[in-house]
Amino acid sequence: MRTGYAKVWIAAVLALAAVFFLSVQVGHAASGTKIVLNDREVTGARDVLTVKGTTMVPIRVISEELGYPVGWNSASRQVTVGSPGDTLTLTLGSTSASAPEGTIALEQAPFSQENTTYVPLRLVGTEMGLQVKWDNRAKTVFLQSPPPIEGPDGSGPNDDVDPPAPVPGGSQQTAAQVEQISFSENRLMIGVSGSAEPKVSKADSPNRIIVDLNNTSFSPLFAEGQGLLIGQQGQIAVSGSPDVTGVRFALNNDSPMRVRVVIDLNKARNYEVYREGSLIFVDLNKSQGPSTPGIGDDGKKVVVIDAGHGGKATGAIYSGGPTLTEKEVNMEMALKVEALLKQVDGLDIIMTRSDDTDVSLQGRVEIAESVDADVMVSIHANSMPKGSKPTSGTETLYTKPESKKLAETIHKYLIVATGLPDRKAKYQNLHVDRESSMPTALVETGFLYAGGDVEKITDPAWQNRVAEAIARGITEYLGL
C-alpha cells in the first residue's frame, strides 16, 4: 500500500466503525448543512456536528466513493488497511492512528451517533489528502480529492512515437499542456491549456494523420486518467468511423517536449484543422477552404453532452453481478443521446469525452466555453451509501437560476421515460453549472446499486427511452 493511499483509505476504515457507538458530548448540528464531495452533494449525509469546538463530519457516506477493502478485529476494536508490514490501523475512540509513515494524531476521536460515524474535518483535509472549503453562507462543506499521478508501464516505441523522454525530477516546464484527447463524429478534438500551435501532416504506408504540438506535455490529470506516467504512450479505441481505425498519442523525446497524436486511417483522407478557444479540431468531415462552416456557424445551436466520470474516476460501482461502473453507464447513455441529436437539423454536438478518459470538472466547463455552447447536459447515475435504505428514482439538477428551465424541460420527459420515482428537478451546487456561462443540467437517471435501479439501467430498451427523453428535452428547450 502506498503511503499516499494510506491517508485516503482512512475514509473506508471509518465506514466500518459506524456499527459501534461511543457516547460523547456533541453540539447541535447547523440546520441544512450539506457536504459536497468532488462537486456532488453527498446523498444521505447527516448534519455537521461540533465536539468541544472541533468540527466533525460524517465519514461513512464520504467513504463510499473511495471503497477500499479493510479488515476488522472485534477483540481489539481495530480496523486495518493494507498488507502485512504495510498497514494502517485505527482504534475506535482513540485520538491516534498508526500508518506506514508513522503515528497520525487526531484532534478528536472518531465516534458514532445514530449509526453515523464522525471524524474531524481537519482529518479529512490533512490526512485524507482532500482539499477542504467551508462556505458559511451556503452552510456547505466542499471536499475535493486530487488524484495521484501513477500508472502501468507503456508500450514500446514505433515509427511515429519516439522513446519516452527522460524527465528530471518527474516534470519539465512547457508552454502548454494537453488536457484531453477524444475522437467523435469523425473529428479529433485536443483540449490544451497554454500556448500550443499544431503542426499537422499526412503520411502513407500506412495512411495516417500526424499532429505535433511542440513545447507541450500532458497535464497531470490527463496522465492520471489515462493511466500514464510522463512520457508514456496511450491510445483511444475508435468505433463507428468509416475512415479511422484508432488514435494514439505520446510525449516524444524532444527538448522541449513534444506531444504527438496520430490518427490511423484505413484509407487516405483530407482534413481541416481549426481552433475553437482552447480546443484544436482535426476534422475529417470537412475539405480544405476558408468557407467551411465552423462549430455553431450557419445559425446552428451548439449542445455539449458530458458523460460523467471516466478513466480512473469510475463513479458508482455495481458489484452484485458482473461489475458495472457508472462511467460505462454514463458513456453508453451519452453516445445514445449524441446519436439522436445528430439527426436534428440546426445542431452541432460536442462530447466532453467519447472514450474512457478522465476529464476534470473545469476541463468540461472549458470545452463548453471554447465552443460557445448554448447548453450543456451532464449525464450520471446515482449512488447510495452501503447500509442505507434502498432508494430509487430519477432527478435532474441545476445550480444557476438560468439553468432551471433547461433542467425542468428535460425532467418532464425523463421522469415519464424512466418510470422511476420522481426525485424532481432541483437545485444542487454543481461545478459544471456554477462555473459555466451557459444553461447546464445534470441528469441522474437512476440508482446504480443492488436494490436500486440497476435492472432498468442495464435494460437496452429503457436506455433508448431515456436517451430519447433527454434529447427531446434539449430540442424543446432550444425551440427546435
Side-chain angles (χ1 to χ4, degrees), residues 9-10 12-20 22 69-82 87-99 103 110:
W9 283 12
I10 294 174
V13 173
L14 294 175
L16 289 187
V19 299
F20 297 92
L22 291 181
V70 296
W72 169 253
N73 187 320
S74 58
S76 61
R77 297 206 302 177
Q78 289 184 331
V79 182
T80 57
V81 180
T87 304
L88 172 69
T89 304
L90 287 91
T91 303
L92 195 63
S94 174
T95 56
S96 64
S98 174
T103 300

Side-chain angles (χ1 to χ4, degrees), residues 148-476:
I149 306 173
E150 293 191 341
D153 290 339
S155 56
N158 54 53
D159 59 343
D160 290 319
V161 182
D162 297 334
V167 186
S171 64
Q172 178 177 319
Q173 293 296 321
T174 54
Q177 290 187 329
V178 170
E179 304 285 350
Q180 183 201 11
I181 300 173
S182 65
F183 188 89
S184 64
E185 297 187 58
N186 228 28
R187 63 188 173 200
L188 175 72
M189 181 173 72
I190 306 173
V192 297
S193 61
S195 176
E197 290 299 327
K199 295 183 177 180
V200 187
S201 60
K202 292 194 294 185
D204 54 19
S205 301
N207 290 304
R208 58 204 188 276
I209 298 171
I210 301 170
V211 183
D212 281 325
L213 298 167
N214 293 323
N215 198 12
T216 302
S217 59
F218 295 131
S219 75
L221 184 60
F222 178 81
E224 166 66 12
Q226 292 295 112
L228 306 176
L229 288 172
I230 293 178
Q232 287 189 320
Q233 306 174 32
Q235 60 184 357
I236 296 172
V238 173
S239 61
S241 171
D243 308 309
V244 178
T245 59
V247 174
R248 47 197 168 94
F249 49 85
L251 194 60
N252 280 10
N253 191 6
D254 291 347
S255 183
M257 290 181 177
R258 169 171 54 97
V259 168
R260 169 165 284 188
V261 184
V262 179
I263 306 173
D264 289 314
L265 305 170
N266 55 31
K267 59 183 177 181
R269 278 301 307 262
N270 289 327
Y271 58 88
E272 181 181 352
V273 182
Y274 54 92
R275 297 287 295 260
E276 297 283 353
S278 63
L279 303 181
I280 299 170
F281 290 92
V282 180
D283 197 334
L284 277 62
N285 300 304
K286 300 183 177 184
S287 59
Q288 299 279 8
S291 62
T292 304
I295 295 172
D297 290 351
D298 294 339
K300 289 186 176 181
K301 301 289 187 180
V302 179
V303 176
V304 171
I305 300 298
D306 172 37
H309 301 285
K312 290 191 174 182
T314 61
I317 300 176
Y318 170 72
S319 56
T323 300
L324 181 65
T325 62
E326 183 189 349
K327 68 175 184 178
E328 298 172 272
V329 170
N330 297 342
M331 188 76 261
E332 187 171 5
M333 183 63 70
L335 291 173
K336 288 178 181 291
V337 174
E338 178 198 25
L340 290 168
L341 291 177
K342 285 168 65 175
Q343 300 175 30
V344 179
D345 292 335
L347 286 182
D348 273 332
I349 315 301
I350 298 294
M351 303 284 285
T352 60
R353 69 178 183 96
S354 57
D355 43 68
D356 191 15
T357 302
D358 185 5
V359 184
S360 70
L361 293 173
Q362 186 57 31
R364 298 166 197 261
V365 171
E366 290 173 358
I367 289 172
E369 296 290 348
S370 294
V371 296
D372 195 21
D374 291 276
V375 298
M376 175 163 57
V377 176
S378 187
I379 297 174
H380 286 256
N382 235 327
S383 62
M384 277 297 294
K386 294 178 182 177
S388 297
K389 183 179 179 181
T391 302
S392 172
T394 299
E395 59 191 10
T396 308
L397 310 174
Y398 64 90
T399 300
K400 301 191 299 285
E402 55 267 38
S403 298
K404 182 178 181 181
K405 183 179 178 181
L406 172 63
E408 290 178 340
T409 304
I410 293 173
H411 191 77
K412 72 177 182 180
Y413 292 109
L414 190 64
I415 197 62
V416 174
T418 64
L420 298 175
D422 187 357
R423 293 172 59 88
K424 308 298 182 183
K426 57 190 177 184
Y427 168 88
Q428 192 170 113
N429 199 326
L430 305 168
H431 184 103
V432 290
D433 192 12
R434 186 180 67 244
E435 302 300 325
S436 60
S437 61
M438 75 290 302
T440 301
L442 188 149
V443 171
E444 298 277 12
T445 57
F447 281 82
L448 185 65
Y449 77 106
D453 305 317
V454 68
E455 290 185 3
K456 287 186 177 292
I457 288 175
T458 55
D459 177 14
W462 185 88
Q463 295 169 0
N464 291 336
R465 290 197 305 272
V466 172
E468 290 170 3
I470 296 172
R472 188 173 181 184
I474 292 171
T475 54
E476 179 177 311

Side-chain angles (χ1 to χ4, degrees), residues 28-35 44-50 56-58 113 116 118 139:
H28 293 291
S31 178
T33 301
K34 295 184 294 186
I35 297 176
R46 295 179 180 272
D47 288 332
V48 172
L49 302 176
T50 57
M56 306 291 289
V57 293
Q113 177 172 292
T116 298
Y118 291 83
K139 300 300 180 186

